[in-house]
Amino acid sequence: MKVEISILALAAALALAPGVAGADGVESFKDWTVVCDNLRNCQVAGFAADDTELPAVLRLSRAAAASAPAKVEIDLLGEISLGGKAPALAVDGRVVMTAKVVSSRDSADFTVVLDDAQVGPLLGAARNGTLLSIQDSGKELGRVSLAGMVAALRYADDQQKRAGTVTAMVAKGAAPAASVPAPPPAPVLRAAPAVAQTGLPAKPPAAIKALFSKAECDLGPGRDDKPEAFRLSADKVLWQVPCWGAAYNFGSLFVIADKADRLSLALEGVGDGVLVNAEYDPKTRLLSAYNKGRGIGDCGDSSQWVWTGEAFALSEATVMPVCRGYGGDWPTTFHAEVR
């Protein structure tokens, strides 16, 4: 059965991830979703419909460069037995092509991989269809709903500024590939030098209680998590203070204290300084958070920030905006180069 994050839950999740909240390229269209990052790279996913018993996920990825081809893979989920022949791809029962398949090293899943030359014909055949099925000797192995596909591809064309050009997947026009603007360069961030984790205080400054109260922290009974300190520099300490706990998400307040015990939120404007399932690694200077949309972890968002010596700067963000049972990598919404 299809389960999607509610509008309110999704809004709350995006509010915790600045890389997502700042991105315009996250949209869903019926059974399809699109995620484009700050470099205009896009990932499009099509899922099985509500009533299917043969789930599959079509993943289309395309880089922003005008000459970049669209890459398509189809993940077959669950216990599947394949014969010796290449699986066939059919739209509304009509076989369009055959494709090669590779097996997962760590599960029983299989992935159908299309050659670059096959992507256009498949999308063309699917434009007016309702169901894409993957077949082995006439037996269905998986299904992908085509409801929303055209709108999703059109949105991706628009995000990549391909609309009206010969490179578009749906919104084709006569404009040459040269009219597609070059993708923006990735932001460059420089991580501060690593520092020894010595001379750390035993407990946070008393003033942290006010920030704890403002964030409405409430661990509830039975939790004995203790604050943890990390040295950022000779005169700055990062405090991770447990704030709240739930079934599969745990919130921590992150505060920076200077030598005079003056406090500031580690991330201004992000959930009153509270991050979900977060941790700081002093070796890499990376602060990471991972917010599950539900317990099985098939949706939600993640973010990563690097300490530059002056502030934590967003370096990576991902999101899976719909809960559809897919456990693969979440699409990227923000990427920076960390040096």
Side-chain angles (χ1 to χ4, degrees), residues 120-165:
L122 177 66
L123 297 182
R127 281 194 63 157
N128 297 315
T130 59
L131 179 68
L132 172 67
S133 60
I134 301 88
Q135 303 177 359
D136 179 37
S137 299
K139 177 185 177 182
E140 282 193 322
L141 303 175
R143 299 172 183 166
V144 175
S145 168
L146 298 177
M149 184 196 80
V150 172
L153 297 181
R154 188 181 299 278
Y155 180 81
D157 282 342
D158 183 65
Q159 291 295 305
Q160 295 192 320
K161 303 186 184 302
R162 299 180 184 276
T165 76

Side-chain angles (χ1 to χ4, degrees), residues 5 291-294 297-301 320-324 326 330:
I5 301 178
N291 183 21
K292 290 184 180 182
R294 62 177 181 174
D298 62 337
C299 54
D301 61 77
M320 176 51 74
V322 293
C323 302
R324 303 298 290 268
Y326 179 62
W330 292 352

Side-chain angles (χ1 to χ4, degrees), residues 202-282:
K203 60 181 181 179
I208 206 168
K209 292 182 179 179
L211 296 176
F212 196 80
S213 176
K214 181 180 178 182
E216 298 183 352
C217 295
D218 180 10
L219 283 176
R223 295 197 55 87
D224 56 357
D225 305 57
K226 299 186 182 304
E228 191 171 1
F230 306 91
R231 184 161 297 285
L232 297 175
S233 64
D235 61 348
K236 287 185 174 63
V237 171
L238 174 69
W239 282 98
Q240 178 178 358
V241 183
C243 179
W244 52 260
Y248 46 81
N249 285 328
F250 301 91
S252 298
L253 178 68
F254 283 85
V255 176
I256 297 174
D258 64 12
K259 276 190 172 181
D261 283 346
R262 292 185 293 255
L263 303 179
S264 62
L265 296 180
L267 293 167
E268 293 289 346
V270 181
D272 288 325
V274 177
L275 300 179
V276 180
N277 300 328
E279 58 183 15
Y280 176 69
D281 184 350

Side-chain angles (χ1 to χ4, degrees), residues 16-39:
L16 295 176
V20 177
D24 295 325
V26 181
E27 290 289 347
S28 294
F29 305 88
K30 296 183 179 178
D31 293 319
W32 286 67
T33 188
V34 185
V35 177
C36 300
D37 67 12
N38 58 313
L39 309 181

Side-chain angles (χ1 to χ4, degrees), residues 39-111:
L39 309 181
R40 296 207 302 269
N41 302 310
C42 291
Q43 297 184 62
V44 183
F47 301 91
D50 291 359
D51 56 355
T52 185
E53 296 179 357
L54 297 168
V57 179
L58 186 150
R59 294 180 289 108
L60 182 150
S61 60
R62 195 175 194 185
S67 61
K71 303 285 186 179
V72 169
E73 296 183 343
I74 305 171
D75 293 330
L76 303 174
L77 311 178
E79 298 294 331
I80 294 173
S81 177
L82 287 175
K85 295 182 179 180
L89 305 182
V91 174
D92 295 339
R94 182 178 67 85
V95 173
V96 177
M97 62 182 64
T98 59
K100 60 186 176 184
V101 66
V102 295
S103 60
S104 172
R105 293 182 178 180
D106 53 4
S107 72
D109 298 345
F110 291 87
T111 298

